[in-house]
Amino acid sequence: MDLTLHVWRQKNSKSDGHMEIVEAKDVSEHSSFLEMLDVVNENLLGQGKEPIAFDHDCREGICGACSLVINGEPHGPEYGTTTCQLHMRSFKSGQHVYIEPWRARALPVLKDLIVDRTSFDRIQQAGGFVSSNTGSPQDANALPIPKPDADKAFDAAVCIGCGACAAACKNASPMLFVAAKVSQLAILPQGKPERERRVLAMVDQMKKEGFGNCTNQYECEAACPKEISVEHIARMNREYFRAAILEEPEKQGHGGD
Amino acid sequence: MALCDRIIGNGVGAKAVVAITGLMLTGFVMAHLSGNLLVFAGPEAFNKYAAGLKSLGGILWVARLGLLGIFILHLGLAIRLNLENKAARPQKYVNEATMEATFASRYMVQTGLLLFAFIIYHLAHYTFRVASDDVNAVPAEDVYGMVIAGFSNPIVSGFYVLAMAALAMHLKHGVSSAFQSLGIYHPNLNVVTQKLGPIIAAIVFVGFASIPVSVLMGCIK
Ligand code: HEM
Ligand code: FES
């Protein structure tokens, strides 16, 4: 199939970007979206032009490195699928395909389609961990966890931190990401000791990074390649109110040292 | 104070305040509607109800000031949050898709601001009696007569119906959304909370709009 790509090209974080038309000829419908871009880049290199820069790593939907807003939808038109797992059979020959980077003040473009996602790292570092002294592993059954709790925590833990939620949100809010990280640990006994500190610090960091606020439009849930539910956002809201009242002010922020 | 900063100073906290004040305003709107529907019971019943409200005196003023405070909190925080949201995406998408967000949810600020304009006009129209000679010609005790006089003007009635459409849209998203903002989400409750917005919106629109429409059609005079 032949496609007309409209690709965001931007030299670096300082320069202004623009959309550029690139023709993709003879694309195999069996190739993935990133493989299609690989072929396009080979051709661009052959013509002495600069290839399109994009993020990727595992290419099997588990690392969270790939991104791309394809025709307005983060990770493209296929529900619950990362861009690396998106196949070209989802497109029709002759189609115009718009490819843009995640757009948020807190996710600035570094080059073309690559954005700086260290704001997500800083949110995670603010509280998305449990502190424990390591030693020999304890008996697996020493800490009983009800199956429904384990399942709920797992539903949140599948978050790969790709940033699609913030990219899809009309307000550039990464609430689904933050909520998944808070929720996953709030449900499990291992997360209890730092429960209040964690949610306050992570929500505070989200604000500091300059992300927007949730308005419950659920674009994030529709875009999430891991199909994480906005139920976790409600849980994070509950966790936040609880902690805002319970946590003594001076203790906040002593978490990770 | 830390608690104040965590609630007002933070998006998650401020959103909860918008939700609570929004639900309180919705409660007021529902009470206001049930009072207004007494126009269909005739001039005597309606004027008696209005006189009863006015005889509350001091309590009425406390309620009015409370309502004003709630209103200012709601509107002020909602606008601040919205400005933060706009600033969070300085560069728009060239090609933006909408997957899940409803029409009502995308125009909350616009419907809210229209409501603001409406409330100013509505107070000037019937409470302070400075907007319409037809209304002012009726003595202030005859609230029923004021309603008939005011709504006999099709342009005025049209604006009221338009404002009620905006209110219905605001509440369709707002009421259901408020539960999520407050962390109320449970499979057993969602069946109710997700329908509550649309149901209240429909009641509010049909209920309020029925009054100017009935006056215009001559069903009440
Ligand atoms: C000056 C007028 C008003 C303005 C500017 C305004 C603006 C807003 C905005 C921007 C939101 C947030 C929307 C979102 O997060 O998606 C909101 C939410 C809401 N508003 Fe208003 N509003 C106004 C008046 C009212 C009135 C009169 C009522 C009730 C009768 C009301 C009820 C609500 C409710 C229930 C919410 C939901 C809160 C939530 O989503 O958590 N608002 N309003
Ligand atoms: S490249 Fe790892 S998830 Fe897509």
Side-chain angles (χ1 to χ4, degrees), chain A residues 72 98 100 103 105 166-167 169-170 203 207 213 215-219 230-231 237-238 240 244 247, chain B residues 3 6 9-10 84-85 88-89 91 93-96 98-101 105 173 177 180-181 183:
Chain A
Y98 286 76
E100 297 178 68
R103 295 199 192 275
R105 182 173 58 170
C169 177
K170 303 286 180 202
V203 168
K207 177 191 158 85
N213 308 292
T215 53
N216 307 332
Q217 294 177 302
Y218 308 156
E219 289 286 298
V230 294
E231 170 183 2
N237 289 343
R238 291 199 297 277
Y240 184 83
E247 180 73 353
Chain B
L3 182 60
R6 286 171 187 168
N10 192 285
E84 288 172 6
N85 296 347
R89 175 162 298 137
Q91 170 89 49
Y93 286 106
V94 174
N95 186 338
E96 180 178 327
T98 295
M99 296 165 277
E100 202 54 30
S105 77
H173 175 72
S177 160
Q180 170 80 357
S181 301

mmCIF file of all heavy atoms in Angstrom, chain A residues 72 98 100 103 105 166-167 169-170 203 207 213 215-219 230-231 237-238 240 244 247, chain B residues 3 6 9-10 84-85 88-89 91 93-96 98-101 105 173 177 180-181 183:
data_model
loop_
_atom_site.group_PDB
_atom_site.id
_atom_site.type_symbol
_atom_site.label_atom_id
_atom_site.label_comp_id
_atom_site.label_asym_id
_atom_site.label_seq_id
_atom_site.Cartn_x
_atom_site.Cartn_y
_atom_site.Cartn_z
ATOM 1 N N GLY A 72 -4.092 11.792 15.365
ATOM 2 C CA GLY A 72 -4.703 12.369 16.559
ATOM 3 C C GLY A 72 -4.813 11.429 17.738
ATOM 4 O O GLY A 72 -5.186 11.852 18.826
ATOM 5 N N TYR A 98 -1.200 11.323 9.774
ATOM 6 C CA TYR A 98 -0.520 12.392 10.524
ATOM 7 C C TYR A 98 0.240 11.771 11.690
ATOM 8 O O TYR A 98 -0.336 11.022 12.485
ATOM 9 C CB TYR A 98 -1.533 13.412 11.049
ATOM 10 C CG TYR A 98 -2.080 14.303 9.957
ATOM 11 C CD1 TYR A 98 -3.037 13.829 9.056
ATOM 12 C CD2 TYR A 98 -1.606 15.604 9.799
ATOM 13 C CE1 TYR A 98 -3.514 14.632 8.040
ATOM 14 C CE2 TYR A 98 -2.087 16.418 8.783
ATOM 15 C CZ TYR A 98 -3.033 15.929 7.908
ATOM 16 O OH TYR A 98 -3.506 16.722 6.904
ATOM 17 N N GLU A 100 2.580 12.775 14.912
ATOM 18 C CA GLU A 100 3.063 13.879 15.745
ATOM 19 C C GLU A 100 3.632 13.331 17.051
ATOM 20 O O GLU A 100 3.305 12.224 17.465
ATOM 21 C CB GLU A 100 1.893 14.833 16.075
ATOM 22 C CG GLU A 100 1.292 15.499 14.853
ATOM 23 C CD GLU A 100 0.113 16.402 15.225
ATOM 24 O OE1 GLU A 100 0.334 17.431 15.867
ATOM 25 O OE2 GLU A 100 -1.030 16.048 14.867
ATOM 26 N N ARG A 103 2.325 15.887 22.925
ATOM 27 C CA ARG A 103 2.425 17.335 23.100
ATOM 28 C C ARG A 103 1.983 17.740 24.498
ATOM 29 O O ARG A 103 0.816 17.613 24.854
ATOM 30 C CB ARG A 103 1.571 18.055 22.066
ATOM 31 C CG ARG A 103 2.061 17.855 20.625
ATOM 32 C CD ARG A 103 1.486 18.916 19.730
ATOM 33 N NE ARG A 103 1.685 18.605 18.316
ATOM 34 C CZ ARG A 103 2.791 18.896 17.642
ATOM 35 N NH1 ARG A 103 3.810 19.466 18.251
ATOM 36 N NH2 ARG A 103 2.878 18.601 16.354
ATOM 37 N N ARG A 105 3.592 20.632 27.767
ATOM 38 C CA ARG A 105 4.703 21.481 28.207
ATOM 39 C C ARG A 105 5.727 20.648 28.984
ATOM 40 O O ARG A 105 6.933 20.862 28.869
ATOM 41 C CB ARG A 105 4.162 22.599 29.106
ATOM 42 C CG ARG A 105 5.232 23.558 29.568
ATOM 43 C CD ARG A 105 4.639 24.730 30.309
ATOM 44 N NE ARG A 105 3.870 24.296 31.466
ATOM 45 C CZ ARG A 105 3.402 25.122 32.395
ATOM 46 N NH1 ARG A 105 3.586 26.417 32.281
ATOM 47 N NH2 ARG A 105 2.708 24.668 33.413
ATOM 48 N N ALA A 166 -1.111 11.330 29.093
ATOM 49 C CA ALA A 166 -0.896 12.783 29.073
ATOM 50 C C ALA A 166 -1.033 13.327 27.656
ATOM 51 O O ALA A 166 -1.521 14.430 27.447
ATOM 52 C CB ALA A 166 0.479 13.118 29.637
ATOM 53 N N ALA A 167 -0.595 12.518 26.664
ATOM 54 C CA ALA A 167 -0.678 12.958 25.271
ATOM 55 C C ALA A 167 -2.130 13.039 24.813
ATOM 56 O O ALA A 167 -2.505 13.929 24.063
ATOM 57 C CB ALA A 167 0.101 11.995 24.377
ATOM 58 N N CYS A 169 -4.855 13.374 26.825
ATOM 59 C CA CYS A 169 -5.688 14.242 27.666
ATOM 60 C C CYS A 169 -5.795 15.635 27.062
ATOM 61 O O CYS A 169 -4.801 16.216 26.645
ATOM 62 C CB CYS A 169 -5.082 14.335 29.062
ATOM 63 S SG CYS A 169 -5.983 15.457 30.140
ATOM 64 N N LYS A 170 -7.025 16.171 27.030
ATOM 65 C CA LYS A 170 -7.241 17.531 26.506
ATOM 66 C C LYS A 170 -6.505 18.549 27.364
ATOM 67 O O LYS A 170 -6.286 19.674 26.929
ATOM 68 C CB LYS A 170 -8.735 17.859 26.496
ATOM 69 C CG LYS A 170 -9.585 16.879 25.701
ATOM 70 C CD LYS A 170 -9.410 17.079 24.207
ATOM 71 C CE LYS A 170 -10.268 16.108 23.419
ATOM 72 N NZ LYS A 170 -9.752 15.915 22.052
ATOM 73 N N VAL A 203 1.640 13.491 43.555
ATOM 74 C CA VAL A 203 0.687 14.475 43.021
ATOM 75 C C VAL A 203 1.339 15.863 42.996
ATOM 76 O O VAL A 203 1.171 16.636 42.053
ATOM 77 C CB VAL A 203 -0.618 14.468 43.857
ATOM 78 C CG1 VAL A 203 -1.490 15.664 43.518
ATOM 79 C CG2 VAL A 203 -1.381 13.174 43.612
ATOM 80 N N LYS A 207 2.231 18.347 39.631
ATOM 81 C CA LYS A 207 1.904 19.772 39.519
ATOM 82 C C LYS A 207 3.171 20.579 39.194
ATOM 83 O O LYS A 207 3.169 21.424 38.312
ATOM 84 C CB LYS A 207 1.278 20.239 40.827
ATOM 85 C CG LYS A 207 0.941 21.717 40.895
ATOM 86 C CD LYS A 207 0.583 22.086 42.329
ATOM 87 C CE LYS A 207 0.751 23.572 42.579
ATOM 88 N NZ LYS A 207 -0.412 24.347 42.201
ATOM 89 N N ASN A 213 -4.685 19.430 34.811
ATOM 90 C CA ASN A 213 -5.537 18.740 35.781
ATOM 91 C C ASN A 213 -6.585 17.896 35.047
ATOM 92 O O ASN A 213 -7.057 18.267 33.986
ATOM 93 C CB ASN A 213 -6.261 19.761 36.646
ATOM 94 C CG ASN A 213 -5.302 20.760 37.262
ATOM 95 O OD1 ASN A 213 -4.487 20.419 38.110
ATOM 96 N ND2 ASN A 213 -5.379 22.002 36.795
ATOM 97 N N THR A 215 -10.078 16.435 33.985
ATOM 98 C CA THR A 215 -11.471 16.885 33.980
ATOM 99 C C THR A 215 -12.413 15.729 33.654
ATOM 100 O O THR A 215 -13.518 15.926 33.150
ATOM 101 C CB THR A 215 -11.714 18.044 32.994
ATOM 102 O OG1 THR A 215 -11.225 17.653 31.716
ATOM 103 C CG2 THR A 215 -11.016 19.315 33.420
ATOM 104 N N ASN A 216 -11.981 14.523 33.932
ATOM 105 C CA ASN A 216 -12.843 13.336 33.828
ATOM 106 C C ASN A 216 -13.467 13.166 32.448
ATOM 107 O O ASN A 216 -14.662 12.888 32.328
ATOM 108 C CB ASN A 216 -13.945 13.383 34.891
ATOM 109 C CG ASN A 216 -13.373 13.586 36.281
ATOM 110 O OD1 ASN A 216 -12.237 13.198 36.539
ATOM 111 N ND2 ASN A 216 -14.131 14.185 37.165
ATOM 112 N N GLN A 217 -12.662 13.339 31.420
ATOM 113 C CA GLN A 217 -13.157 13.124 30.063
ATOM 114 C C GLN A 217 -12.770 11.738 29.548
ATOM 115 O O GLN A 217 -13.253 11.297 28.527
ATOM 116 C CB GLN A 217 -12.613 14.200 29.131
ATOM 117 C CG GLN A 217 -13.154 15.581 29.464
ATOM 118 C CD GLN A 217 -12.564 16.661 28.586
ATOM 119 O OE1 GLN A 217 -11.353 16.839 28.537
ATOM 120 N NE2 GLN A 217 -13.414 17.364 27.875
ATOM 121 N N TYR A 218 -11.847 11.103 30.237
ATOM 122 C CA TYR A 218 -11.473 9.704 29.988
ATOM 123 C C TYR A 218 -10.846 9.443 28.621
ATOM 124 O O TYR A 218 -10.903 8.323 28.100
ATOM 125 C CB TYR A 218 -12.665 8.776 30.237
ATOM 126 C CG TYR A 218 -13.308 8.983 31.604
ATOM 127 C CD1 TYR A 218 -14.623 8.644 31.840
ATOM 128 C CD2 TYR A 218 -12.565 9.524 32.658
ATOM 129 C CE1 TYR A 218 -15.203 8.840 33.087
ATOM 130 C CE2 TYR A 218 -13.137 9.727 33.893
ATOM 131 C CZ TYR A 218 -14.452 9.383 34.109
ATOM 132 O OH TYR A 218 -15.023 9.580 35.339
ATOM 133 N N GLU A 219 -10.236 10.468 28.032
ATOM 134 C CA GLU A 219 -9.459 10.255 26.815
ATOM 135 C C GLU A 219 -8.281 9.322 27.112
ATOM 136 O O GLU A 219 -7.866 8.528 26.272
ATOM 137 C CB GLU A 219 -8.910 11.587 26.292
ATOM 138 C CG GLU A 219 -9.950 12.517 25.709
ATOM 139 C CD GLU A 219 -10.437 12.071 24.346
ATOM 140 O OE1 GLU A 219 -9.619 12.002 23.423
ATOM 141 O OE2 GLU A 219 -11.625 11.781 24.209
ATOM 142 N N VAL A 230 -9.950 4.168 34.558
ATOM 143 C CA VAL A 230 -9.992 5.417 35.333
ATOM 144 C C VAL A 230 -10.457 5.166 36.765
ATOM 145 O O VAL A 230 -10.434 6.083 37.584
ATOM 146 C CB VAL A 230 -10.895 6.487 34.677
ATOM 147 C CG1 VAL A 230 -10.322 6.948 33.357
ATOM 148 C CG2 VAL A 230 -12.318 5.969 34.501
ATOM 149 N N GLU A 231 -10.852 3.956 37.061
ATOM 150 C CA GLU A 231 -11.136 3.586 38.444
ATOM 151 C C GLU A 231 -9.930 3.925 39.330
ATOM 152 O O GLU A 231 -10.076 4.340 40.478
ATOM 153 C CB GLU A 231 -11.410 2.069 38.523
ATOM 154 C CG GLU A 231 -11.466 1.551 39.934
ATOM 155 C CD GLU A 231 -11.674 0.039 40.000
ATOM 156 O OE1 GLU A 231 -11.733 -0.607 38.939
ATOM 157 O OE2 GLU A 231 -11.777 -0.471 41.122
ATOM 158 N N ASN A 237 -7.603 9.796 43.886
ATOM 159 C CA ASN A 237 -8.255 10.950 44.515
ATOM 160 C C ASN A 237 -8.568 10.640 45.973
ATOM 161 O O ASN A 237 -8.290 11.440 46.866
ATOM 162 C CB ASN A 237 -9.538 11.319 43.761
ATOM 163 C CG ASN A 237 -9.253 11.928 42.398
ATOM 164 O OD1 ASN A 237 -8.125 12.371 42.134
ATOM 165 N ND2 ASN A 237 -10.240 11.949 41.529
ATOM 166 N N ARG A 238 -9.126 9.451 46.237
ATOM 167 C CA ARG A 238 -9.424 9.063 47.629
ATOM 168 C C ARG A 238 -8.156 9.024 48.479
ATOM 169 O O ARG A 238 -8.115 9.523 49.596
ATOM 170 C CB ARG A 238 -10.075 7.674 47.669
ATOM 171 C CG ARG A 238 -11.464 7.604 47.118
ATOM 172 C CD ARG A 238 -12.177 6.349 47.606
ATOM 173 N NE ARG A 238 -11.586 5.088 47.183
ATOM 174 C CZ ARG A 238 -11.811 4.496 46.008
ATOM 175 N NH1 ARG A 238 -12.602 5.070 45.135
ATOM 176 N NH2 ARG A 238 -11.255 3.334 45.706
ATOM 177 N N TYR A 240 -5.500 10.616 47.986
ATOM 178 C CA TYR A 240 -4.981 11.973 48.183
ATOM 179 C C TYR A 240 -5.716 12.688 49.320
ATOM 180 O O TYR A 240 -5.084 13.269 50.198
ATOM 181 C CB TYR A 240 -5.086 12.783 46.890
ATOM 182 C CG TYR A 240 -4.472 14.161 47.018
ATOM 183 C CD1 TYR A 240 -3.102 14.345 46.863
ATOM 184 C CD2 TYR A 240 -5.258 15.260 47.354
ATOM 185 C CE1 TYR A 240 -2.529 15.590 47.018
ATOM 186 C CE2 TYR A 240 -4.691 16.514 47.511
ATOM 187 C CZ TYR A 240 -3.330 16.674 47.342
ATOM 188 O OH TYR A 240 -2.767 17.912 47.510
ATOM 189 N N ALA A 244 -4.058 13.916 52.675
ATOM 190 C CA ALA A 244 -4.017 15.362 52.932
ATOM 191 C C ALA A 244 -4.430 15.638 54.370
ATOM 192 O O ALA A 244 -3.912 16.541 55.012
ATOM 193 C CB ALA A 244 -4.946 16.100 51.963
ATOM 194 N N GLU A 247 -1.606 12.959 56.949
ATOM 195 C CA GLU A 247 -0.142 13.068 56.983
ATOM 196 C C GLU A 247 0.291 14.373 57.648
ATOM 197 O O GLU A 247 -0.139 15.457 57.266
ATOM 198 C CB GLU A 247 0.415 12.998 55.548
ATOM 199 C CG GLU A 247 1.913 13.101 55.435
ATOM 200 C CD GLU A 247 2.656 11.855 55.900
ATOM 201 O OE1 GLU A 247 2.026 10.930 56.449
ATOM 202 O OE2 GLU A 247 3.881 11.825 55.714
ATOM 203 N N LEU B 3 -2.902 21.712 55.238
ATOM 204 C CA LEU B 3 -4.128 21.112 54.712
ATOM 205 C C LEU B 3 -4.761 22.024 53.662
ATOM 206 O O LEU B 3 -5.188 21.582 52.600
ATOM 207 C CB LEU B 3 -5.115 20.846 55.857
ATOM 208 C CG LEU B 3 -6.426 20.176 55.425
ATOM 209 C CD1 LEU B 3 -6.148 18.819 54.779
ATOM 210 C CD2 LEU B 3 -7.365 20.010 56.592
ATOM 211 N N ARG B 6 -2.796 21.785 50.545
ATOM 212 C CA ARG B 6 -3.026 20.521 49.846
ATOM 213 C C ARG B 6 -4.374 20.503 49.137
ATOM 214 O O ARG B 6 -4.539 19.830 48.131
ATOM 215 C CB ARG B 6 -2.969 19.355 50.845
ATOM 216 C CG ARG B 6 -1.561 19.025 51.307
ATOM 217 C CD ARG B 6 -1.620 18.031 52.451
ATOM 218 N NE ARG B 6 -0.292 17.833 53.022
ATOM 219 C CZ ARG B 6 -0.088 17.194 54.167
ATOM 220 N NH1 ARG B 6 -1.106 16.701 54.850
ATOM 221 N NH2 ARG B 6 1.127 17.033 54.617
ATOM 222 N N GLY B 9 -4.455 24.520 46.997
ATOM 223 C CA GLY B 9 -3.250 24.759 46.205
ATOM 224 C C GLY B 9 -2.974 23.696 45.169
ATOM 225 O O GLY B 9 -2.155 23.888 44.278
ATOM 226 N N ASN B 10 -3.646 22.556 45.264
ATOM 227 C CA ASN B 10 -3.320 21.453 44.377
ATOM 228 C C ASN B 10 -4.489 21.113 43.464
ATOM 229 O O ASN B 10 -5.641 21.228 43.869
ATOM 230 C CB ASN B 10 -2.958 20.238 45.237
ATOM 231 C CG ASN B 10 -2.343 19.160 44.394
ATOM 232 O OD1 ASN B 10 -3.049 18.488 43.665
ATOM 233 N ND2 ASN B 10 -1.046 19.018 44.461
ATOM 234 N N GLU B 84 -4.598 26.629 34.046
ATOM 235 C CA GLU B 84 -3.460 25.701 34.198
ATOM 236 C C GLU B 84 -3.499 24.652 33.088
ATOM 237 O O GLU B 84 -2.458 24.284 32.520
ATOM 238 C CB GLU B 84 -3.525 25.000 35.561
ATOM 239 C CG GLU B 84 -3.195 25.888 36.750
ATOM 240 C CD GLU B 84 -3.457 25.217 38.098
ATOM 241 O OE1 GLU B 84 -3.798 24.004 38.128
ATOM 242 O OE2 GLU B 84 -3.343 25.909 39.116
ATOM 243 N N ASN B 85 -4.702 24.175 32.789
ATOM 244 C CA ASN B 85 -4.829 23.136 31.759
ATOM 245 C C ASN B 85 -4.421 23.652 30.383
ATOM 246 O O ASN B 85 -3.778 22.942 29.606
ATOM 247 C CB ASN B 85 -6.268 22.627 31.701
ATOM 248 C CG ASN B 85 -6.684 21.947 32.988
ATOM 249 O OD1 ASN B 85 -5.838 21.643 33.825
ATOM 250 N ND2 ASN B 85 -7.962 21.720 33.157
ATOM 251 N N ALA B 88 -0.729 23.890 30.059
ATOM 252 C CA ALA B 88 -0.028 22.603 30.048
ATOM 253 C C ALA B 88 0.198 22.078 28.628
ATOM 254 O O ALA B 88 0.951 21.136 28.428
ATOM 255 C CB ALA B 88 -0.804 21.573 30.866
ATOM 256 N N ARG B 89 -0.498 22.657 27.647
ATOM 257 C CA ARG B 89 -0.252 22.229 26.262
ATOM 258 C C ARG B 89 -0.117 23.466 25.386
ATOM 259 O O ARG B 89 -1.068 23.874 24.714
ATOM 260 C CB ARG B 89 -1.365 21.312 25.751
ATOM 261 C CG ARG B 89 -1.172 20.961 24.260
ATOM 262 C CD ARG B 89 -1.959 19.759 23.786
ATOM 263 N NE ARG B 89 -1.566 18.558 24.476
ATOM 264 C CZ ARG B 89 -2.411 17.641 24.943
ATOM 265 N NH1 ARG B 89 -3.702 17.810 24.794
ATOM 266 N NH2 ARG B 89 -1.964 16.569 25.562
ATOM 267 N N GLN B 91 1.661 23.892 22.650
ATOM 268 C CA GLN B 91 1.639 23.579 21.210
ATOM 269 C C GLN B 91 0.503 22.593 20.939
ATOM 270 O O GLN B 91 0.520 21.463 21.416
ATOM 271 C CB GLN B 91 2.982 22.968 20.798
ATOM 272 C CG GLN B 91 3.024 22.384 19.411
ATOM 273 C CD GLN B 91 3.431 23.399 18.363
ATOM 274 O OE1 GLN B 91 4.411 24.103 18.508
ATOM 275 N NE2 GLN B 91 2.650 23.475 17.295
ATOM 276 N N TYR B 93 -2.090 20.015 18.861
ATOM 277 C CA TYR B 93 -1.922 19.003 17.816
ATOM 278 C C TYR B 93 -2.380 19.581 16.485
ATOM 279 O O TYR B 93 -3.359 20.340 16.435
ATOM 280 C CB TYR B 93 -2.744 17.753 18.127
ATOM 281 C CG TYR B 93 -2.145 16.915 19.239
ATOM 282 C CD1 TYR B 93 -2.720 16.894 20.503
ATOM 283 C CD2 TYR B 93 -0.994 16.156 19.020
ATOM 284 C CE1 TYR B 93 -2.161 16.143 21.528
ATOM 285 C CE2 TYR B 93 -0.428 15.404 20.039
ATOM 286 C CZ TYR B 93 -1.026 15.403 21.290
ATOM 287 O OH TYR B 93 -0.460 14.660 22.301
ATOM 288 N N VAL B 94 -1.675 19.227 15.415
ATOM 289 C CA VAL B 94 -2.109 19.642 14.085
ATOM 290 C C VAL B 94 -3.386 18.877 13.738
ATOM 291 O O VAL B 94 -4.333 19.406 13.178
ATOM 292 C CB VAL B 94 -0.986 19.358 13.055
ATOM 293 C CG1 VAL B 94 -1.465 19.649 11.639
ATOM 294 C CG2 VAL B 94 0.253 20.181 13.398
ATOM 295 N N ASN B 95 -3.386 17.606 14.095
ATOM 296 C CA ASN B 95 -4.528 16.740 13.823
ATOM 297 C C ASN B 95 -4.937 16.114 15.154
ATOM 298 O O ASN B 95 -4.282 15.216 15.647
ATOM 299 C CB ASN B 95 -4.115 15.667 12.811
ATOM 300 C CG ASN B 95 -5.281 14.813 12.359
ATOM 301 O OD1 ASN B 95 -6.297 14.722 13.038
ATOM 302 N ND2 ASN B 95 -5.136 14.187 11.221
ATOM 303 N N GLU B 96 -6.004 16.634 15.728
ATOM 304 C CA GLU B 96 -6.399 16.145 17.050
ATOM 305 C C GLU B 96 -7.662 15.306 16.957
ATOM 306 O O GLU B 96 -8.631 15.709 16.324
ATOM 307 C CB GLU B 96 -6.639 17.339 17.987
ATOM 308 C CG GLU B 96 -7.046 16.917 19.388
ATOM 309 C CD GLU B 96 -7.235 18.092 20.341
ATOM 310 O OE1 GLU B 96 -6.525 19.094 20.205
ATOM 311 O OE2 GLU B 96 -8.115 17.974 21.212
ATOM 312 N N THR B 98 -10.773 13.135 19.030
ATOM 313 C CA THR B 98 -11.459 13.015 20.312
ATOM 314 C C THR B 98 -12.053 11.618 20.369
ATOM 315 O O THR B 98 -12.837 11.234 19.506
ATOM 316 C CB THR B 98 -12.555 14.080 20.443
ATOM 317 O OG1 THR B 98 -11.910 15.357 20.472
ATOM 318 C CG2 THR B 98 -13.355 13.900 21.714
ATOM 319 N N MET B 99 -11.630 10.849 21.359
ATOM 320 C CA MET B 99 -12.041 9.448 21.405
ATOM 321 C C MET B 99 -13.219 9.232 22.340
ATOM 322 O O MET B 99 -14.120 8.473 22.057
ATOM 323 C CB MET B 99 -10.853 8.586 21.844
ATOM 324 C CG MET B 99 -9.709 8.628 20.848
ATOM 325 S SD MET B 99 -8.150 7.997 21.500
ATOM 326 C CE MET B 99 -7.538 9.431 22.357
ATOM 327 N N GLU B 100 -13.193 9.912 23.481
ATOM 328 C CA GLU B 100 -14.110 9.566 24.573
ATOM 329 C C GLU B 100 -14.837 10.807 25.099
ATOM 330 O O GLU B 100 -15.991 10.721 25.525
ATOM 331 C CB GLU B 100 -13.232 8.948 25.678
ATOM 332 C CG GLU B 100 -13.834 8.048 26.703
ATOM 333 C CD GLU B 100 -14.618 6.871 26.183
ATOM 334 O OE1 GLU B 100 -14.330 6.330 25.090
ATOM 335 O OE2 GLU B 100 -15.547 6.499 26.890
ATOM 336 N N ALA B 101 -14.182 11.970 25.052
ATOM 337 C CA ALA B 101 -14.703 13.175 25.700
ATOM 338 C C ALA B 101 -16.018 13.611 25.064
ATOM 339 O O ALA B 101 -16.116 13.736 23.846
ATOM 340 C CB ALA B 101 -13.684 14.310 25.607
ATOM 341 N N SER B 105 -18.597 17.863 28.100
ATOM 342 C CA SER B 105 -17.384 17.939 28.910
ATOM 343 C C SER B 105 -16.361 18.897 28.315
ATOM 344 O O SER B 105 -15.529 19.443 29.008
ATOM 345 C CB SER B 105 -16.762 16.545 29.074
ATOM 346 O OG SER B 105 -16.080 16.159 27.895
ATOM 347 N N HIS B 173 -22.471 16.786 32.275
ATOM 348 C CA HIS B 173 -21.114 16.316 32.579
ATOM 349 C C HIS B 173 -20.798 16.506 34.055
ATOM 350 O O HIS B 173 -20.272 15.611 34.701
ATOM 351 C CB HIS B 173 -20.083 17.056 31.726
ATOM 352 C CG HIS B 173 -18.663 16.702 32.089
ATOM 353 N ND1 HIS B 173 -18.110 15.476 31.778
ATOM 354 C CD2 HIS B 173 -17.701 17.379 32.763
ATOM 355 C CE1 HIS B 173 -16.865 15.429 32.239
ATOM 356 N NE2 HIS B 173 -16.596 16.570 32.838
ATOM 357 N N SER B 177 -19.392 13.802 36.776
ATOM 358 C CA SER B 177 -17.954 14.004 36.919
ATOM 359 C C SER B 177 -17.569 14.314 38.363
ATOM 360 O O SER B 177 -16.486 13.931 38.828
ATOM 361 C CB SER B 177 -17.539 15.139 35.972
ATOM 362 O OG SER B 177 -16.323 15.695 36.338
ATOM 363 N N GLN B 180 -16.539 11.267 40.378
ATOM 364 C CA GLN B 180 -15.184 10.791 40.080
ATOM 365 C C GLN B 180 -14.155 11.709 40.751
ATOM 366 O O GLN B 180 -13.187 11.233 41.341
ATOM 367 C CB GLN B 180 -14.963 10.764 38.558
ATOM 368 C CG GLN B 180 -13.528 10.514 38.107
ATOM 369 C CD GLN B 180 -13.127 9.054 38.146
ATOM 370 O OE1 GLN B 180 -13.894 8.190 38.557
ATOM 371 N NE2 GLN B 180 -11.899 8.764 37.722
ATOM 372 N N SER B 181 -14.380 13.029 40.692
ATOM 373 C CA SER B 181 -13.445 13.970 41.321
ATOM 374 C C SER B 181 -13.340 13.723 42.817
ATOM 375 O O SER B 181 -12.303 13.964 43.424
ATOM 376 C CB SER B 181 -13.887 15.410 41.097
ATOM 377 O OG SER B 181 -13.954 15.694 39.726
ATOM 378 N N GLY B 183 -13.624 10.842 44.147
ATOM 379 C CA GLY B 183 -13.127 9.485 44.377
ATOM 380 C C GLY B 183 -14.230 8.458 44.565
ATOM 381 O O GLY B 183 -13.974 7.353 45.037
#
